[in-house]
């Protein structure tokens, strides 16, 4: 029993994680994926635009809604202390959790302000908040936006072209992804035996814990 408990403690930052609570400073990876006290967290019950996703504004012009949503979330929550209650784990091994900052449900705020959508596939907790945001044309609802889960599905099924982003692991163990056109893209080799992998988008790589190459 002691051996099992010790393994569980070593798997996560001791100060930030317990079986029923994660607490720590917030670093926003993208709008709905945060690092909280060093633990990668996916916010429960909502879905925000992918970081590289585009939308159309009220005039029909394209704009970078994914980057905008992430920036808005950073301005509100970056560096603050969050308390999160784990609910599940997703396929990227992120902790799916409901998080509060100063007693306020952050997902509720994001949906009310039109920065994210109620993710009905997993929860109905934020449907009422989304109805209010739609009625008042808040944030993303002021224009034309493809909900993120449809955007991702269409991106995967657009054609048979293989995923082209290389998820490399450096000699120091750092996870770095290289996109076509970057300086070391052609030289970078992928070894699945080392845990390296291919990604279909930059947002998918970031969600899995890889950072972009600097060049």
């Amino acid at each position: 029993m002691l051996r099992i408990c010790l393994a569980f403690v070593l798997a996560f930052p001791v100060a930030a994680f317990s079986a029923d609570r994660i607490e720590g400073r917030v670093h926003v990876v993208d709008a709905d994926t945060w690092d909280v006290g060093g633990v990668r967290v996916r916010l429960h019950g909502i879905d925000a635009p992918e970081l590289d996703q585009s939308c159309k504004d009220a005039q029909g012009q394209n704009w970078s809604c994914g980057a905008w949503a992430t920036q808005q979330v950073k301005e509100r929550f970056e560096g603050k202390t969050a308390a999160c209650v784990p609910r599940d784990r997703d396929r990227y091994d992120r902790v799916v959790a409901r998080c509060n900052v100063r007693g306020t449900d952050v997902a509720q705020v994001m949906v009310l302000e039109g920065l994210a959508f109620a993710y009905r596939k997993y929860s109905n907790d934020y449907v009422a908040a989304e109805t209010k945001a739609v009625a008042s044309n808040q944030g993303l609802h002021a224009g034309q936006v493809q909900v993120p889960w449809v955007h991702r599905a269409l991106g995967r099924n657009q054609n048979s072209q293989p995923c082209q982003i290389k998820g490399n692991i450096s000699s120091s163990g750092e996870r770095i992804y290289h996109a076509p056109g970057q300086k070391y893209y052609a030289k970078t080799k992928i070894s699945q035996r080392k845990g390296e992998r291919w990604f279909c988008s930059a947002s998918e790589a970031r969600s899995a814990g890889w950072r972009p190459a600097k060049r």
Side-chain angles (χ1 to χ4, degrees):
M1 182 66 176
L2 178 60
R3 197 174 304 163
I4 295 173
C5 293
L6 181 59
F8 185 81
V9 169
L10 290 175
F12 299 96
V14 175
F17 189 92
S18 69
D20 57 0
R21 188 177 178 86
I22 302 168
E23 188 167 349
R25 289 174 64 86
V26 170
H27 169 63
V28 176
V29 178
D30 59 31
D32 55 24
T33 302
W34 297 4
D35 285 339
V36 178
V39 178
R40 184 61 52 92
V41 171
R42 173 64 163 83
L43 297 177
H44 169 72
I46 66 170
D47 200 8
E50 297 299 318
L51 194 54
D52 54 0
Q53 185 173 342
S54 294
C55 304
K56 291 185 182 296
D57 62 20
Q59 288 73 45
Q61 300 297 312
N62 287 328
W63 65 294
S64 301
C65 58
W68 173 82
T70 296
Q71 183 58 37
Q72 294 297 309
V73 172
K74 281 186 176 182
E75 290 177 5
R76 288 159 175 76
F77 300 113
E78 182 77 22
K80 295 185 178 179
T81 299
C84 304
V85 178
R87 304 286 293 269
D88 199 357
R89 278 190 180 273
D90 68 8
R91 61 184 179 137
Y92 300 117
D93 203 34
R94 296 175 294 187
V95 178
V96 180
R98 189 164 186 158
C99 296
N100 291 331
V101 171
R102 296 179 181 174
T104 299
D105 183 344
V106 298
Q108 178 89 356
V109 171
M110 290 169 60
V111 175
L112 281 171
E113 295 188 7
L115 305 177
F117 300 88
Y119 207 172
R120 290 168 170 81
K121 179 179 179 180
Y122 297 104
S123 172
N124 290 319
D125 290 352
Y126 304 107
V127 172
E130 182 176 276
T131 300
K132 291 180 181 178
V134 171
S136 56
N137 293 324
Q138 289 293 320
L140 296 164
H141 304 293
Q144 304 171 45
V145 57
Q146 193 172 62
V147 289
W149 52 91
V150 171
H151 173 79
R152 290 191 296 269
L154 290 175
R156 285 192 295 268
N157 298 325
Q158 241 175 7
N159 51 51
S160 59
Q161 187 176 21
C163 298
Q164 295 184 326
I165 292 178
K166 298 178 178 181
N168 176 249
I169 300 177
S170 71
S171 56
S172 63
E174 189 174 12
R175 297 181 175 190
I176 303 170
Y177 69 83
H178 300 260
Q182 289 190 292
K183 183 175 182 179
Y184 297 108
Y185 180 83
K187 294 181 179 180
T188 300
K189 306 300 181 184
I190 297 301
S191 170
Q192 294 184 340
R193 288 181 299 176
K194 291 170 53 180
E196 297 174 335
R197 53 183 289 194
W198 294 85
F199 294 100
C200 297
S201 69
S203 57
E204 181 184 7
R206 285 189 294 270
S207 294
W210 266 257
R211 71 157 177 84
K214 294 178 180 178
R215 291 185 288 176

CSV table of all heavy atoms in Angstrom, one decimal, residues 71-121:
chain,number,residue,atom,x,y,z
A,71,GLN,N,-5.9,35.0,-25.6
A,71,GLN,CA,-5.4,36.3,-25.1
A,71,GLN,C,-6.4,36.9,-24.0
A,71,GLN,O,-5.9,37.4,-23.0
A,71,GLN,CB,-5.2,37.3,-26.2
A,71,GLN,CG,-4.5,38.6,-25.7
A,71,GLN,CD,-3.2,38.4,-25.0
A,71,GLN,OE1,-2.4,37.5,-25.4
A,71,GLN,NE2,-3.0,39.2,-23.9
A,72,GLN,N,-7.7,36.8,-24.3
A,72,GLN,CA,-8.6,37.3,-23.3
A,72,GLN,C,-8.6,36.5,-22.0
A,72,GLN,O,-8.7,37.1,-20.9
A,72,GLN,CB,-10.1,37.2,-23.9
A,72,GLN,CG,-10.3,38.1,-25.1
A,72,GLN,CD,-10.2,39.6,-24.8
A,72,GLN,OE1,-10.8,40.1,-23.8
A,72,GLN,NE2,-9.4,40.3,-25.5
A,73,VAL,N,-8.4,35.2,-22.1
A,73,VAL,CA,-8.4,34.4,-20.9
A,73,VAL,C,-7.1,34.7,-20.2
A,73,VAL,O,-7.1,34.7,-18.9
A,73,VAL,CB,-8.5,32.9,-21.3
A,73,VAL,CG1,-8.2,32.0,-20.1
A,73,VAL,CG2,-9.8,32.6,-21.9
A,74,LYS,N,-6.0,34.9,-20.9
A,74,LYS,CA,-4.7,35.2,-20.2
A,74,LYS,C,-4.8,36.5,-19.4
A,74,LYS,O,-4.4,36.6,-18.3
A,74,LYS,CB,-3.6,35.4,-21.3
A,74,LYS,CG,-3.0,34.0,-21.7
A,74,LYS,CD,-1.8,34.3,-22.6
A,74,LYS,CE,-1.2,32.9,-23.0
A,74,LYS,NZ,0.0,33.1,-23.9
A,75,GLU,N,-5.5,37.5,-20.0
A,75,GLU,CA,-5.6,38.8,-19.4
A,75,GLU,C,-6.4,38.7,-18.1
A,75,GLU,O,-6.2,39.4,-17.1
A,75,GLU,CB,-6.3,39.8,-20.3
A,75,GLU,CG,-5.4,40.2,-21.5
A,75,GLU,CD,-6.0,41.2,-22.4
A,75,GLU,OE1,-7.2,41.6,-22.2
A,75,GLU,OE2,-5.4,41.5,-23.5
A,76,ARG,N,-7.4,37.8,-18.0
A,76,ARG,CA,-8.2,37.6,-16.9
A,76,ARG,C,-7.6,36.7,-15.8
A,76,ARG,O,-7.8,36.9,-14.6
A,76,ARG,CB,-9.6,37.0,-17.3
A,76,ARG,CG,-10.5,38.0,-18.0
A,76,ARG,CD,-11.5,37.3,-18.8
A,76,ARG,NE,-12.5,38.2,-19.5
A,76,ARG,CZ,-12.2,38.9,-20.5
A,76,ARG,NH1,-11.0,38.9,-21.1
A,76,ARG,NH2,-13.1,39.7,-21.0
A,77,PHE,N,-6.9,35.6,-16.2
A,77,PHE,CA,-6.5,34.6,-15.2
A,77,PHE,C,-5.0,34.3,-15.1
A,77,PHE,O,-4.6,33.6,-14.2
A,77,PHE,CB,-7.2,33.3,-15.6
A,77,PHE,CG,-8.7,33.5,-15.5
A,77,PHE,CD1,-9.5,33.4,-16.7
A,77,PHE,CD2,-9.4,33.7,-14.3
A,77,PHE,CE1,-10.9,33.5,-16.7
A,77,PHE,CE2,-10.8,33.9,-14.3
A,77,PHE,CZ,-11.5,33.8,-15.5
A,78,GLU,N,-4.2,34.7,-16.1
A,78,GLU,CA,-2.7,34.4,-16.0
A,78,GLU,C,-2.1,34.9,-14.7
A,78,GLU,O,-2.3,36.0,-14.3
A,78,GLU,CB,-2.0,35.0,-17.2
A,78,GLU,CG,-0.5,34.7,-17.3
A,78,GLU,CD,-0.2,33.3,-17.8
A,78,GLU,OE1,-1.1,32.7,-18.5
A,78,GLU,OE2,0.9,32.8,-17.6
A,79,GLY,N,-1.4,34.0,-14.0
A,79,GLY,CA,-0.7,34.3,-12.8
A,79,GLY,C,-1.5,34.3,-11.5
A,79,GLY,O,-1.0,34.4,-10.4
A,80,LYS,N,-2.8,34.1,-11.7
A,80,LYS,CA,-3.7,34.1,-10.5
A,80,LYS,C,-3.7,32.7,-9.9
A,80,LYS,O,-3.2,31.7,-10.5
A,80,LYS,CB,-5.1,34.5,-10.8
A,80,LYS,CG,-5.2,36.0,-11.2
A,80,LYS,CD,-6.6,36.4,-11.5
A,80,LYS,CE,-6.6,37.9,-11.8
A,80,LYS,NZ,-8.0,38.4,-12.1
A,81,THR,N,-4.2,32.5,-8.7
A,81,THR,CA,-4.2,31.2,-8.1
A,81,THR,C,-5.6,30.5,-8.3
A,81,THR,O,-6.6,31.1,-8.0
A,81,THR,CB,-4.0,31.3,-6.5
A,81,THR,OG1,-2.7,31.9,-6.3
A,81,THR,CG2,-4.0,30.0,-5.9
A,82,ALA,N,-5.5,29.3,-8.8
A,82,ALA,CA,-6.8,28.6,-9.1
A,82,ALA,C,-6.8,27.4,-8.2
A,82,ALA,O,-5.8,26.8,-7.8
A,82,ALA,CB,-6.8,28.1,-10.5
A,83,ALA,N,-8.0,27.0,-7.8
A,83,ALA,CA,-8.3,25.8,-7.1
A,83,ALA,C,-9.2,24.9,-7.9
A,83,ALA,O,-10.3,25.4,-8.4
A,83,ALA,CB,-9.0,26.1,-5.7
A,84,CYS,N,-8.8,23.7,-8.2
A,84,CYS,CA,-9.5,22.9,-9.2
A,84,CYS,C,-9.8,21.5,-8.6
A,84,CYS,O,-9.0,20.9,-7.8
A,84,CYS,CB,-8.6,22.6,-10.4
A,84,CYS,SG,-8.0,24.1,-11.3
A,85,VAL,N,-11.0,21.0,-9.0
A,85,VAL,CA,-11.5,19.7,-8.5
A,85,VAL,C,-11.4,18.8,-9.7
A,85,VAL,O,-12.2,18.9,-10.7
A,85,VAL,CB,-12.9,19.8,-8.0
A,85,VAL,CG1,-13.4,18.4,-7.6
A,85,VAL,CG2,-13.0,20.7,-6.8
A,86,PRO,N,-10.5,17.7,-9.7
A,86,PRO,CA,-10.4,16.8,-10.8
A,86,PRO,C,-11.7,16.0,-11.0
A,86,PRO,O,-12.4,15.6,-10.1
A,86,PRO,CB,-9.3,15.9,-10.4
A,86,PRO,CG,-8.5,16.7,-9.4
A,86,PRO,CD,-9.5,17.5,-8.7
A,87,ARG,N,-12.0,15.8,-12.3
A,87,ARG,CA,-13.2,15.0,-12.7
A,87,ARG,C,-12.9,13.8,-13.5
A,87,ARG,O,-13.5,12.8,-13.4
A,87,ARG,CB,-14.2,15.9,-13.5
A,87,ARG,CG,-14.6,17.2,-12.9
A,87,ARG,CD,-15.6,16.9,-11.8
A,87,ARG,NE,-16.9,16.4,-12.3
A,87,ARG,CZ,-17.9,17.2,-12.6
A,87,ARG,NH1,-17.8,18.5,-12.5
A,87,ARG,NH2,-19.0,16.7,-13.1
A,88,ASP,N,-11.7,13.9,-14.3
A,88,ASP,CA,-11.4,12.8,-15.2
A,88,ASP,C,-10.0,13.0,-15.8
A,88,ASP,O,-9.4,14.0,-15.4
A,88,ASP,CB,-12.5,12.8,-16.3
A,88,ASP,CG,-12.5,11.5,-17.1
A,88,ASP,OD1,-11.7,10.6,-16.8
A,88,ASP,OD2,-13.4,11.4,-18.0
A,89,ARG,N,-9.6,12.2,-16.7
A,89,ARG,CA,-8.4,12.4,-17.5
A,89,ARG,C,-8.8,12.2,-18.9
A,89,ARG,O,-9.6,11.4,-19.3
A,89,ARG,CB,-7.3,11.4,-17.1
A,89,ARG,CG,-6.5,11.8,-15.9
A,89,ARG,CD,-5.3,11.0,-15.7
A,89,ARG,NE,-4.5,11.4,-14.5
A,89,ARG,CZ,-3.6,12.3,-14.5
A,89,ARG,NH1,-3.3,13.0,-15.6
A,89,ARG,NH2,-3.0,12.7,-13.4
A,90,ASP,N,-8.2,13.0,-19.8
A,90,ASP,CA,-8.5,12.9,-21.3
A,90,ASP,C,-7.4,12.1,-22.0
A,90,ASP,O,-6.5,11.6,-21.3
A,90,ASP,CB,-8.7,14.3,-21.9
A,90,ASP,CG,-7.5,15.1,-22.0
A,90,ASP,OD1,-6.4,14.6,-21.7
A,90,ASP,OD2,-7.6,16.3,-22.4
A,91,ARG,N,-7.5,12.0,-23.3
A,91,ARG,CA,-6.6,11.1,-24.0
A,91,ARG,C,-5.2,11.7,-24.1
A,91,ARG,O,-4.3,11.0,-24.5
A,91,ARG,CB,-7.1,10.9,-25.4
A,91,ARG,CG,-7.3,12.1,-26.3
A,91,ARG,CD,-7.9,11.8,-27.6
A,91,ARG,NE,-8.1,13.0,-28.4
A,91,ARG,CZ,-7.8,13.0,-29.7
A,91,ARG,NH1,-7.4,12.0,-30.3
A,91,ARG,NH2,-8.1,14.1,-30.4
A,92,TYR,N,-5.0,13.0,-23.8
A,92,TYR,CA,-3.7,13.6,-23.7
A,92,TYR,C,-3.1,13.5,-22.3
A,92,TYR,O,-2.1,14.1,-22.0
A,92,TYR,CB,-3.7,15.0,-24.2
A,92,TYR,CG,-4.2,15.2,-25.6
A,92,TYR,CD1,-5.4,15.9,-25.8
A,92,TYR,CD2,-3.5,14.7,-26.7
A,92,TYR,CE1,-5.9,16.1,-27.1
A,92,TYR,CE2,-4.0,14.8,-28.0
A,92,TYR,CZ,-5.2,15.5,-28.2
A,92,TYR,OH,-5.6,15.7,-29.5
A,93,ASP,N,-3.8,12.8,-21.4
A,93,ASP,CA,-3.4,12.6,-20.0
A,93,ASP,C,-3.5,13.9,-19.2
A,93,ASP,O,-2.8,14.1,-18.2
A,93,ASP,CB,-1.9,12.0,-19.9
A,93,ASP,CG,-1.7,11.4,-18.6
A,93,ASP,OD1,-2.7,10.8,-18.0
A,93,ASP,OD2,-0.6,11.4,-18.0
A,94,ARG,N,-4.3,14.9,-19.7
A,94,ARG,CA,-4.5,16.1,-18.9
A,94,ARG,C,-5.6,15.8,-17.9
A,94,ARG,O,-6.5,14.9,-18.1
A,94,ARG,CB,-5.1,17.2,-19.8
A,94,ARG,CG,-4.1,17.7,-20.9
A,94,ARG,CD,-4.7,18.7,-21.8
A,94,ARG,NE,-5.8,18.1,-22.6
A,94,ARG,CZ,-6.4,18.7,-23.6
A,94,ARG,NH1,-6.1,20.0,-23.9
A,94,ARG,NH2,-7.3,18.2,-24.3
A,95,VAL,N,-5.5,16.4,-16.7
A,95,VAL,CA,-6.5,16.3,-15.7
A,95,VAL,C,-7.7,17.2,-16.1
A,95,VAL,O,-7.5,18.4,-16.3
A,95,VAL,CB,-6.0,16.7,-14.3
A,95,VAL,CG1,-7.1,16.7,-13.3
A,95,VAL,CG2,-4.8,15.9,-13.9
A,96,VAL,N,-8.9,16.6,-16.3
A,96,VAL,CA,-10.1,17.4,-16.6
A,96,VAL,C,-10.7,17.8,-15.3
A,96,VAL,O,-10.9,17.0,-14.4
A,96,VAL,CB,-11.1,16.5,-17.4
A,96,VAL,CG1,-12.4,17.3,-17.7
A,96,VAL,CG2,-10.5,16.0,-18.7
A,97,ALA,N,-10.8,19.1,-15.1
A,97,ALA,CA,-11.2,19.6,-13.8
A,97,ALA,C,-12.0,20.9,-13.9
A,97,ALA,O,-12.1,21.6,-14.9
A,97,ALA,CB,-9.9,20.0,-13.0
A,98,ARG,N,-12.8,21.1,-12.8
A,98,ARG,CA,-13.6,22.3,-12.6
A,98,ARG,C,-12.8,23.2,-11.7
A,98,ARG,O,-12.4,22.8,-10.6
A,98,ARG,CB,-14.9,22.0,-12.0
A,98,ARG,CG,-15.9,23.1,-12.0
A,98,ARG,CD,-17.3,22.6,-11.7
A,98,ARG,NE,-18.3,23.7,-11.8
A,98,ARG,CZ,-19.6,23.5,-12.0
A,98,ARG,NH1,-20.0,22.3,-12.2
A,98,ARG,NH2,-20.4,24.5,-12.1
A,99,CYS,N,-12.5,24.5,-12.2
A,99,CYS,CA,-11.6,25.4,-11.5
A,99,CYS,C,-12.3,26.7,-11.1
A,99,CYS,O,-13.1,27.2,-11.8
A,99,CYS,CB,-10.4,25.7,-12.4
A,99,CYS,SG,-9.4,24.3,-12.9
A,100,ASN,N,-11.8,27.1,-9.9
A,100,ASN,CA,-12.3,28.4,-9.4
A,100,ASN,C,-11.1,29.3,-9.2
A,100,ASN,O,-10.0,28.9,-8.8
A,100,ASN,CB,-13.0,28.3,-8.1
A,100,ASN,CG,-14.3,27.5,-8.2
A,100,ASN,OD1,-15.0,27.6,-9.2
A,100,ASN,ND2,-14.7,26.8,-7.2
A,101,VAL,N,-11.3,30.6,-9.4
A,101,VAL,CA,-10.4,31.7,-9.1
A,101,VAL,C,-11.1,32.7,-8.2
A,101,VAL,O,-12.1,33.2,-8.6
A,101,VAL,CB,-9.8,32.4,-10.3
A,101,VAL,CG1,-9.0,33.6,-9.9
A,101,VAL,CG2,-8.9,31.4,-11.1
A,102,ARG,N,-10.6,32.8,-7.0
A,102,ARG,CA,-11.2,33.7,-6.0
A,102,ARG,C,-12.7,33.3,-5.8
A,102,ARG,O,-13.6,34.2,-5.7
A,102,ARG,CB,-11.1,35.1,-6.3
A,102,ARG,CG,-9.6,35.6,-6.3
A,102,ARG,CD,-9.5,37.1,-6.7
A,102,ARG,NE,-8.1,37.5,-6.7
A,102,ARG,CZ,-7.7,38.7,-7.2
A,102,ARG,NH1,-8.6,39.6,-7.6
A,102,ARG,NH2,-6.4,39.0,-7.1
A,103,GLY,N,-13.0,32.0,-5.8
A,103,GLY,CA,-14.4,31.5,-5.6
A,103,GLY,C,-15.3,31.6,-6.8
A,103,GLY,O,-16.5,31.2,-6.7
A,104,THR,N,-14.8,32.0,-7.9
A,104,THR,CA,-15.6,32.1,-9.1
A,104,THR,C,-15.3,31.0,-10.1
A,104,THR,O,-14.1,30.8,-10.4
A,104,THR,CB,-15.4,33.5,-9.8
A,104,THR,OG1,-15.8,34.5,-8.9
A,104,THR,CG2,-16.2,33.6,-11.1
A,105,ASP,N,-16.3,30.4,-10.6
A,105,ASP,CA,-16.1,29.3,-11.6
A,105,ASP,C,-15.6,29.9,-12.9
A,105,ASP,O,-16.3,30.6,-13.6
A,105,ASP,CB,-17.5,28.6,-11.8
A,105,ASP,CG,-17.4,27.4,-12.8
A,105,ASP,OD1,-16.4,27.3,-13.5
A,105,ASP,OD2,-18.3,26.6,-12.8
A,106,VAL,N,-14.4,29.6,-13.3
A,106,VAL,CA,-13.7,30.3,-14.5
A,106,VAL,C,-14.4,29.9,-15.8
A,106,VAL,O,-14.6,30.7,-16.7
A,106,VAL,CB,-12.2,30.0,-14.5
A,106,VAL,CG1,-11.5,30.6,-13.3
A,106,VAL,CG2,-11.9,28.5,-14.7
A,107,ALA,N,-14.9,28.6,-15.9
A,107,ALA,CA,-15.6,28.2,-17.1
A,107,ALA,C,-16.9,28.9,-17.3
A,107,ALA,O,-17.2,29.3,-18.4
A,107,ALA,CB,-15.8,26.7,-17.0
A,108,GLN,N,-17.6,29.2,-16.2
A,108,GLN,CA,-18.8,30.0,-16.2
A,108,GLN,C,-18.5,31.4,-16.8
A,108,GLN,O,-19.3,31.9,-17.6
A,108,GLN,CB,-19.4,30.0,-14.8
A,108,GLN,CG,-20.7,30.9,-14.7
A,108,GLN,CD,-21.9,30.0,-15.0
A,108,GLN,OE1,-21.8,28.8,-15.3
A,108,GLN,NE2,-23.1,30.6,-14.9
A,109,VAL,N,-17.5,32.0,-16.3
A,109,VAL,CA,-17.1,33.3,-16.7
A,109,VAL,C,-16.8,33.3,-18.2
A,109,VAL,O,-17.3,34.2,-19.0
A,109,VAL,CB,-15.9,33.9,-16.0
A,109,VAL,CG1,-15.4,35.1,-16.6
A,109,VAL,CG2,-16.3,34.1,-14.5
A,110,MET,N,-16.0,32.3,-18.7
A,110,MET,CA,-15.6,32.2,-20.1
A,110,MET,C,-16.8,32.0,-21.0
A,110,MET,O,-16.9,32.7,-22.1
A,110,MET,CB,-14.6,31.1,-20.2
A,110,MET,CG,-13.2,31.4,-19.6
A,110,MET,SD,-12.2,29.9,-19.5
A,110,MET,CE,-12.0,29.5,-21.3
A,111,VAL,N,-17.8,31.2,-20.6
A,111,VAL,CA,-18.9,31.0,-21.5
A,111,VAL,C,-19.8,32.2,-21.5
A,111,VAL,O,-20.3,32.6,-22.5
A,111,VAL,CB,-19.7,29.7,-21.0
A,111,VAL,CG1,-21.0,29.6,-21.8
A,111,VAL,CG2,-18.9,28.5,-21.1
A,112,LEU,N,-20.0,32.9,-20.3
A,112,LEU,CA,-20.9,34.1,-20.3
A,112,LEU,C,-20.3,35.2,-21.1
A,112,LEU,O,-21.0,36.0,-21.7
A,112,LEU,CB,-21.0,34.5,-18.8
A,112,LEU,CG,-22.0,33.8,-18.0
A,112,LEU,CD1,-21.9,34.2,-16.5
A,112,LEU,CD2,-23.4,34.1,-18.4
A,113,GLU,N,-18.9,35.3,-21.2
A,113,GLU,CA,-18.3,36.3,-21.9
A,113,GLU,C,-18.0,36.0,-23.4
A,113,GLU,O,-17.5,36.7,-24.2
A,113,GLU,CB,-17.0,36.7,-21.3
A,113,GLU,CG,-17.2,37.3,-19.9
A,113,GLU,CD,-15.9,37.9,-19.3
A,113,GLU,OE1,-14.9,37.9,-20.0
A,113,GLU,OE2,-16.0,38.3,-18.1
A,114,GLY,N,-18.5,34.8,-23.8
A,114,GLY,CA,-18.4,34.4,-25.2
A,114,GLY,C,-17.0,34.0,-25.6
A,114,GLY,O,-16.6,34.2,-26.8
A,115,LEU,N,-16.2,33.5,-24.7
A,115,LEU,CA,-14.8,33.1,-24.9
A,115,LEU,C,-14.7,31.5,-25.1
A,115,LEU,O,-13.7,31.0,-25.6
A,115,LEU,CB,-13.9,33.5,-23.8
A,115,LEU,CG,-13.9,34.9,-23.4
A,115,LEU,CD1,-13.0,35.2,-22.2
A,115,LEU,CD2,-13.5,35.8,-24.6
A,116,ALA,N,-15.8,30.8,-24.8
A,116,ALA,CA,-15.8,29.4,-24.9
A,116,ALA,C,-17.3,28.9,-25.1
A,116,ALA,O,-18.2,29.7,-24.8
A,116,ALA,CB,-15.2,28.7,-23.7
A,117,PHE,N,-17.5,27.7,-25.4
A,117,PHE,CA,-18.8,27.1,-25.6
A,117,PHE,C,-19.1,26.1,-24.6
A,117,PHE,O,-18.2,25.4,-24.1
A,117,PHE,CB,-18.9,26.5,-27.0
A,117,PHE,CG,-18.7,27.4,-28.2
A,117,PHE,CD1,-17.4,27.6,-28.6
A,117,PHE,CD2,-19.7,28.1,-28.7
A,117,PHE,CE1,-17.1,28.5,-29.7
A,117,PHE,CE2,-19.5,29.0,-29.8
A,117,PHE,CZ,-18.2,29.2,-30.2
A,118,ALA,N,-20.4,25.9,-24.3
A,118,ALA,CA,-20.8,24.8,-23.4
A,118,ALA,C,-20.5,23.5,-24.2
A,118,ALA,O,-21.0,23.3,-25.4
A,118,ALA,CB,-22.2,24.9,-23.1
A,119,TYR,N,-19.7,22.6,-23.6
A,119,TYR,CA,-19.4,21.3,-24.3
A,119,TYR,C,-20.4,20.2,-23.9
A,119,TYR,O,-20.2,19.4,-23.0
A,119,TYR,CB,-18.0,20.9,-23.9
A,119,TYR,CG,-17.2,20.1,-24.9
A,119,TYR,CD1,-15.9,19.8,-24.7
A,119,TYR,CD2,-17.8,19.6,-26.0
A,119,TYR,CE1,-15.1,19.0,-25.6
A,119,TYR,CE2,-17.1,18.8,-26.9
A,119,TYR,CZ,-15.8,18.6,-26.7
A,119,TYR,OH,-15.1,17.8,-27.6
A,120,ARG,N,-21.5,20.3,-24.6
A,120,ARG,CA,-22.7,19.4,-24.2
A,120,ARG,C,-22.4,17.9,-24.3
A,120,ARG,O,-23.1,17.2,-23.6
A,120,ARG,CB,-23.9,19.8,-25.1
A,120,ARG,CG,-24.5,21.2,-24.9
A,120,ARG,CD,-25.4,21.5,-26.0
A,120,ARG,NE,-26.2,22.7,-25.7
A,120,ARG,CZ,-25.7,23.9,-25.9
A,120,ARG,NH1,-24.5,24.1,-26.4
A,120,ARG,NH2,-26.5,25.0,-25.7
A,121,LYS,N,-21.4,17.5,-25.0
A,121,LYS,CA,-21.1,16.1,-25.1
A,121,LYS,C,-20.7,15.6,-23.7
A,121,LYS,O,-20.9,14.4,-23.5
A,121,LYS,CB,-19.9,15.9,-26.1
A,121,LYS,CG,-19.4,14.5,-26.3
A,121,LYS,CD,-18.3,14.4,-27.3
A,121,LYS,CE,-17.8,13.0,-27.4
A,121,LYS,NZ,-16.7,12.9,-28.4
